[in-house]
Amino acid sequence: MDIENDIKNKEISVLVRDRSGIIYEGRAESISSVNEYGEFDVLALHANFISLIRKELVLRDSKGIIKRLPITSGLARVADNRVEVYLGVVRSERSRI
């Protein structure tokens, strides 16, 4: 991971995966999703945080290309200029033992 280069290019490293494997791995200018407080965006050098997400994940690259991924639920972890998204890991209240 080259954080210095990411900062210069205003990019953040992204990994999106589900139980079957990696769905997306690369760089993005921003990532957007929805949590319990509403829509949010993650940009380069974003503060560290973890959030449950839902509805969709939107990736924007430095060329302006937008990739939309409809989701049911997931977990987003932001740390060290990297976003890791794990889809399908959140169970509903009814499925808890």
Side-chain angles (χ1 to χ4, degrees):
M1 220 179 346
D2 186 0
I3 292 177
E4 202 171 291
N5 198 33
D6 287 347
I7 294 166
K8 183 176 120 185
N9 295 324
K10 297 182 182 177
E11 292 183 327
I12 190 165
S13 177
V14 181
L15 173 69
V16 180
R17 65 178 306 140
D18 65 9
R19 292 179 182 176
S20 63
I22 295 172
I23 295 171
Y24 176 84
E25 187 169 22
R27 303 217 181 288
E29 196 168 84
S30 68
I31 290 91
S32 302
S33 192
V34 178
N35 64 17
E36 66 181 299
Y37 299 106
E39 296 178 3
F40 68 92
D41 300 310
V42 175
L43 304 170
L45 299 177
H46 196 285
N48 296 349
F49 82 102
I50 295 175
S51 180
L52 297 176
I53 60 172
R54 60 179 186 256
K55 294 188 181 177
E56 80 173 338
L57 184 65
V58 180
L59 305 168
R60 290 174 196 82
D61 72 14
S62 60
K63 296 176 185 172
I65 296 172
I66 297 173
K67 297 177 184 175
R68 294 181 181 276
L69 179 65
I71 64 172
T72 302
S73 65
L75 177 102
R77 176 182 176 267
V78 180
D80 300 322
N81 209 45
R82 180 173 171 85
V83 179
E84 295 174 356
V85 178
Y86 303 94
L87 301 177
V89 296
V90 182
R91 295 183 188 179
S92 70
E93 289 296 320
R94 289 186 217 175
S95 67
R96 291 191 181 171
I97 295 176

